[in-house]
Every structure is written in structure tokens, then in C-alpha cells.
């Protein structure tokens, strides 16, 4: 393995990818925050704190999960959860349903990503969104009014005043340069005399109101008894159906994989320098939970076609099941099959992990989801390869492990990001990068899956094509590859290369 130069003692320059990401999202993020809390200064301050938190987190999560992680950090800002919108159409909504709606209207997130930002299942998010729309409808806000509001907010994003865009650019620069956070604006305190008088009046009114409901307690006769008040029962664990439909079921069902996923980029970089045959150690998974049982490629559309034990677990979704997208049905059926394969002790341990996970802050859950999402995108062969490298590192001395990490951390930030794609794609992604220029976020996952299914030679040919073709022809090539049957894609690449 070629050793990279030692890192300079001077601070590393900001990552171009991070700078471009913040520049591309700051306008929408500001409008989202402003509509949530109703105050420009508060919105910008909350945005600044979210940017600083995201800058620290961005080095430990794959680039593909940056949008969801950023929005989760912004939504979690205290000022936004307690603010009151100044948009008349949305005043009837509390902050939670309003955030759910704005993640669609302003952030432009699809259902799975918006649900991930809020830390709920997609079915739960859809239901919450439906309730919010119903609540607005009861207040006289029609779909036409909401459509006009959406267009107005989009225009607001594009036409922010020059002074505001300059302020956002200065905020971004300060975050990237690690400049100290500006102190919050000083609010002139209210005179304590008037405040004390106000509180005193409220206390007197409260006492007078309470007195109207007070009746003396009966005197207990000599030798009499009185029943003690019943203690509140401790909070119960979520029902089995709630556990099976938990949005992070896959991650919590595989606790042994999370530490491997957390170091996915480092492990991919190490594995790329070793042939698959040279990876000797194999991770010991004998004590972990059973692997997910095989699930049909297409989960039944009709709820009654599911096996009866799975129906019993998924019964709360019986009415919504036909309307769920096929990947969601497959995931839920996989969760149910996995749960049924566990013994009672394993189910209890999984339920305990869910309770501990749900107690975490939403921002922390979002940050931990990122590496695991990248892990799930890998092929089974790549996962086994990285588990083996992880086991090899565990057998090293702390000094050897740190030396490997220091060498990896000395790489440019953008190059480290590429290794989140795994050892197969990460090794040559720099040459494939032109193929991903201007690709919509919603299409990146499908394109990455396409790349993983190609042979190494086909990926090398595609990288050569990507460098040769101008931007408009690269877009045409992407469309043709996505439309072609998987078995014909490599032939298509060879034919284009021979032109």
C-alpha cells in the first residue's frame, strides 16, 4: 500500500464537496427555517448551528446520505420545534406536522427520505402528512391554496434579497473556516417590576380559579382506613407490530454490523489493496442474530396472501398494504420473517435496542443511519470482505490500527468520501465521477446499483467512455444504460466504446 504524505499541521482546506453542498442547500434551508419559526434572525442562527454540526458529521458519513443528515440536524434545532410560523396558510399546524409538510414543499424530499429525517417509518410519515392536510382542509385551506403556497415558497427560495444571500454566503464561509459562532442578538430585558407584577397577578388568578373546584377532604374516622393511590405503571415496550415496522429495524437487528459500517470507508480503502483471496480472517458471527430469511422478490400485493404469522405481525398495515410501494412491502415482510426466526431472548434484546435507539436525539439517529445505509447498498460479497478486514484490524495492536487510520485520514476529503461506495466502486470512482455530474439525487442510487452489477472490465470501459464524451452525450448514455436490460448493458458499453 502506498503511503500518503503526512498531513500538514495547518488546517486542511474546506472540502470542495462540502462547500458545494452547503451552497446548494442554504437557500432552501433558510426558507424552511424561516417558515417554521417565523423570524429571519432566529432562522439564520438555527441554520448556522445546523451547518456547524453537519460539517463535523460530514466526514463520518457517506455523501449519498448528506441531504437526509443535514435536514435532520436542521429540523432538530430547538428554535424550529418551538416556533410559530408567520405564513397564514400554515398557522393552524403545530411545528411537527408543519415540518412534515415543509420537508415535501420546501426541502423537496421524497417520502422515504422525509420519513428518515423525522425518524419514523414511511407509513407513519404518510399518515402524519395526510392528517396535516386534513387538518388544513378543515380550516378552509384547499389543495389549490397549498399548491399556490408551494409555488410561492419556491419563488422565495430563488428570489431571496441580495442582502440575505450575502448573509448566507458569509455564514457558510464562517462555518467552513471554523470561525467562532456569532453571539445571539441581545434582547432588551423586560423591567423586573412589571414581570413580577404580572406573575403575581397570574398566581392570584390561578388560586382563585382553583378554589372554585376545591372541596374539603373528608375527615378519616378513628380506626378507619384509606386506600393508597395506585402507582402509575411503568412505560410498556412497544407492541410487537410497532417493533416489526420500526423504520430502523434492519440496522437494529444487526448490531454486529454497525461498527463495521461506521468504518466502511476506511475498511474499503484497506480492502482495495488486498485481493479477495488474501483476506484471511473471517468475522465470527455465530453469536449474532440469525440472518434475514429469504423473502420473495415481490411481496404479495394482497395482504391476505401473506403467510398467517406475518399477517398477525403486520395487521395494523392491512388497509394500507396494497397502496405501499413494492420495496416497502418487501422490507416489511423481511422484517416480519426475521422476527419470527428469533428466539424469545433475541426478541427481547432487539426490543431493548429499539427502546434505547428511540431515546436518542433525532440528529444522532440520522448520523448513525448514514453509514449503515451505505453498508446495505453493498453486495453480500463486499460485506463479507469488509467483515474480514474488520476482524483483521481487531487482531492488530492499537498502534497499527492508528497508523492505518492516520494514513487514510491524510487523503483528501473528497477522495475519502469515494470509499464509502465500497471497495469495488470506490477504487475507480474518480474516473466515473463525470458520469454522475448533474444526476438528480433520486437517480443516484439506481445508477450506483447499475455500476455494482457491472464486471470490473465493464466499469473500466465505462470510465473511459465517461472521460471521452461531452456532457450531453454522457446524459444520453446514462439514460440508455438505465433503460437497457441488465444482461445487455455491458454489450452496450462495448459498442459505444468501439464507435
Amino acid at each position: 500500500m502506498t503511503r500518503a504524505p503526512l498531513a500538514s499541521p495547518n488546517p486542511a482546506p474546506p472540502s470542495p464537496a462540502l462547500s458545494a453542498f452547503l451552497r446548494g442547500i442554504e437557500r432552501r434551508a433558510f426558507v424552511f427555517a424561516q417558515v417554521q419559526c417565523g423570524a429571519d434572525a432566529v432562522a439564520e442562527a438555527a441554520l448556522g448551528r445546523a451547518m456547524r454540526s453537519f460539517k463535523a458529521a460530514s466526514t463520518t458519513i457517506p455523501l449519498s446520505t448528506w441531504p437526509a443528515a443535514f435536514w435532520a440536524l436542521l429540523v432538530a434545532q430547538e428554535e424550529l420545534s418551538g416556533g410559530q410560523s408567520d405564513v397564514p396558510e400554515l398557522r393552524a399546524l403545530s411545528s411537527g406536522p408543519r415540518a412534515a409538510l415543509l420537508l415535501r414543499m420546501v426541502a423537496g424530499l421524497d417520502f422515504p427520505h422525509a420519513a428518515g429525517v423525522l425518524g419514523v417509518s414511511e407509513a407513519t410519515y404518510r399518515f402524519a402528512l395526510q392528517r396535516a392536510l386534513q387538518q388544513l382542509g378543515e380550516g378552509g385551506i384547499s389543495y389549490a391554496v397549498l399548491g399556490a403556497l408551494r409555488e410561492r415558497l419556491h419563488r422565495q427560495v430563488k428570489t431571496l434579497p441580495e442582502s440575505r444571500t450575502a448573509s448566507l454566503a458569509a455564514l457558510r464561509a464562517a462555518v467552513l473556516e471554523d470561525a467562532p459562532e456569532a453571539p445571539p442578538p441581545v434582547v432588551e430585558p423586560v423591567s423586573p417590576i412589571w414581570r413580577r407584577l404580572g406573575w403575581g397577578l397570574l398566581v392570584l388568578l390561578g388560586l382563585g380559579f382553583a378554589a372554585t373546584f376545591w372541596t374539603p377532604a373528608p375527615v378519616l374516622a378513628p380506626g378507619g382506613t384509606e386506600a393508597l393511590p395506585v402507582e402509575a405503571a411503568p412505560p410498556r415496550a412497544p407492541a410487537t407490530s410497532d417493533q416489526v415496522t420500526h423504520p430502523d429495524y434492519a440496522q437494529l437487528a444487526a448490531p454486529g454490523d454497525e461498527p463495521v459500517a461506521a468504518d466502511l470507508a476506511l475498511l474499503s480503502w484497506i480492502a482495495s489493496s488486498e485481493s479477495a483471496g488474501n483476506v484471511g480472517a473471517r468475522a465470527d458471527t455465530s453469536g449474532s442474530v440469525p440472518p434475514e430469511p429469504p423473502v420473495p422478490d415481490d411481496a404479495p400485493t394482497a395482504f391476505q396472501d401473506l403467510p398467517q404469522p406475518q399477517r398477525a405481525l403486520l395487521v395494523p398495515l392491512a388497509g394500507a398494504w396494497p397502496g405501499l410501494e413494492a420495496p416497502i412491502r418487501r422490507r416489511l415482510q423481511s422484517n416480519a420473517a426475521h422476527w419470527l426466526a428469533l428466539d424469545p431472548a433475541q426478541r427481547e434484546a432487539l426490543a431493548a435496542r429499539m427502546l434505547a435507539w428511540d431515546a436518542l436525539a433525532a440528529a444522532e439517529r440520522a448520523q448513525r443511519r448514514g453509514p449503515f445505509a451505505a453498508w446495505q447498498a453493498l453486495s453480500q460479497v463486499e460485506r463479507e470482505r469488509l467483515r474480514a478486514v474488520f476482524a483483521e484490524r481487531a487482531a492488530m495492536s492499537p498502534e497499527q490500527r492508528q497508523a492505518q487510520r492516520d494514513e487514510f485520514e491524510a487523503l483528501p476529503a473528497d477522495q475519502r468520501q469515494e470509499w464509502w461506495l465500497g471497495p469495488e466502486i470506490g477504487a475507480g470512482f474518480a474516473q466515473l465521477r463525470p458520469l454522475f455530474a448533474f444526476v438528480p439525487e433520486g437517480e443516484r442510487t439506481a445508477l450506483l446499483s447499475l455500476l455494482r452489477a457491472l464486471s470490473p472490465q465493464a466499469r473500466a470501459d465505462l470510465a473511459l467512455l465517461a472521460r471521452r464524451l461531452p456532457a450531453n452525450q454522457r446524459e444520453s448514455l446514462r439514460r440508455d444504460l438505465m433503460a437497457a436490460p441488465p444482461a445487455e448493458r455491458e454489450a452496450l458499453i462495448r459498442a459505444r466504446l468501439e464507435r
Side-chain angles (χ1 to χ4, degrees):
M1 184 183 298
T2 304
R3 183 170 293 276
L6 293 178
S8 167
N10 297 325
S15 160
L18 177 61
S19 178
F21 174 82
L22 293 179
R23 184 171 60 251
I25 206 170
E26 62 191 19
R27 285 170 170 255
R28 280 181 294 143
F30 171 76
V31 171
F32 177 97
Q34 197 280 332
V35 174
Q36 257 298 72
C37 70
D40 291 2
V42 174
E44 187 166 318
L47 175 58
R49 281 188 287 279
M51 282 182 167
R52 291 175 193 278
S53 298
F54 178 77
K55 181 177 183 291
S58 65
T59 60
T60 63
I61 59 176
L63 191 145
S64 60
T65 65
W66 279 12
F70 175 84
W71 287 110
L73 288 167
L74 182 59
V75 169
Q77 297 302 310
E78 185 177 355
E79 300 90 337
L80 303 192
S81 60
Q84 177 61 49
S85 178
D86 61 354
V87 175
E89 296 91 332
L90 303 180
R91 283 178 183 164
L93 296 178
S94 59
S95 62
R98 190 166 63 242
L101 186 60
L102 291 176
L103 286 173
R104 293 281 292 163
M105 296 179 68
V106 178
L109 300 183
D110 57 17
F111 289 114
H113 287 95
V117 166
L118 297 177
V120 299
S121 68
E122 184 175 343
T124 300
Y125 173 74
R126 287 176 181 266
F127 178 76
L129 195 59
Q130 182 180 0
R131 287 291 299 127
L133 295 174
Q134 182 180 352
Q135 187 177 352
L136 289 173
E138 292 170 353
I141 306 299
S142 65
Y143 284 107
V145 172
L146 284 178
L149 173 62
R150 180 178 180 273
E151 295 301 320
R152 191 169 84 235
L153 293 176
H154 283 194
R155 285 196 303 273
Q156 185 177 343
V157 170
K158 296 176 182 178
T159 61
L160 284 177
E162 187 174 342
S163 59
R164 180 60 59 190
T165 58
S167 180
L168 293 178
L171 175 63
R172 173 180 12 105
V175 169
L176 293 172
E177 295 168 4
D178 289 322
E181 184 177 355
V186 178
V187 180
E188 193 68 29
V190 180
S191 169
I193 296 176
W194 294 108
R195 186 166 60 246
R196 290 168 188 163
L197 286 174
W199 278 112
L201 180 59
L202 284 175
V203 170
L204 289 174
L205 288 173
L207 289 173
F209 182 71
T212 63
F213 294 92
W214 179 81
T215 56
V219 178
L220 193 62
T225 60
E226 182 179 6
L228 293 174
V230 179
E231 294 185 1
R236 294 166 50 188
T240 302
S241 294
D242 292 337
Q243 294 162 348
V244 171
T245 58
H246 194 285
D248 299 298
Y249 184 98
Q251 182 168 353
L252 299 173
D257 282 341
E258 188 169 4
V260 187
D263 268 341
L264 191 155
L266 169 64
L267 299 175
S268 297
W269 174 71
I270 296 171
S272 71
S273 65
E274 305 171 350
S275 66
N278 289 336
V279 180
R282 286 294 179 264
D284 179 13
T285 58
S286 58
S288 62
V289 297
E292 293 184 4
V295 176
D297 291 337
D298 290 315
T301 303
F303 186 76
Q304 290 301 318
D305 291 341
L306 289 171
Q308 194 281 330
Q310 295 180 11
R311 289 203 309 272
L313 294 174
L314 299 172
V315 68
L317 297 173
W321 185 265
L324 297 178
E325 296 174 1
I328 299 174
R329 292 199 303 270
R330 286 197 297 269
R331 176 167 54 80
L332 291 169
Q333 188 180 7
S334 175
N335 292 353
H338 180 270
W339 178 268
L340 292 168
L342 301 179
D343 61 37
Q346 290 170 332
R347 292 178 183 176
E348 185 177 350
L350 177 52
R353 288 195 296 273
M354 289 179 177
L355 288 175
W357 175 267
D358 292 340
L360 298 175
E364 182 177 350
R365 294 199 304 269
Q367 184 174 343
R368 289 174 59 178
R369 283 189 193 106
F372 196 80
W375 170 258
Q376 286 186 299
L378 301 181
S379 67
Q380 188 60 37
V381 172
E382 286 181 296
R383 293 185 202 174
E384 289 298 329
R385 190 174 172 188
L386 296 188
R387 288 189 185 107
V389 176
F390 183 83
E392 286 184 336
R393 274 179 54 79
M396 293 179 178
S397 67
E399 293 77 15
Q400 288 175 311
R401 290 197 297 270
Q402 189 59 47
Q404 279 185 331
R405 190 175 296 278
D406 290 344
E407 188 174 349
F408 178 70
E409 293 295 333
L411 298 174
D414 291 350
Q415 191 174 340
R416 295 198 305 271
Q417 270 292 332
E418 292 170 357
W419 289 109
W420 282 104
L421 299 174
E424 296 295 332
I425 297 182
F429 190 75
Q431 289 74 36
L432 290 164
R433 186 178 293 280
L435 198 63
F436 283 77
F438 311 112
V439 174
E441 186 64 34
E443 298 178 14
R444 289 177 61 88
T445 301
L447 187 54
L448 286 171
S449 298
L450 182 153
L451 291 179
R452 288 193 171 92
L454 296 176
S455 67
Q457 183 58 52
R459 283 197 296 269
D461 292 343
L462 186 59
L464 184 59
L465 261 178
R467 293 197 300 272
R468 287 182 181 178
L469 298 177
N472 62 329
Q473 293 186 31
R474 286 198 299 267
E475 184 177 354
S476 174
L477 174 63
R478 280 197 307 269
R479 288 198 303 268
D480 293 344
L481 283 173
M482 295 297 295
E488 299 177 10
R489 287 168 177 164
E490 296 196 10
L492 188 154
I493 293 171
R494 286 194 300 271
R496 294 290 179 89
L497 193 59
E498 292 169 359
R499 285 185 181 177

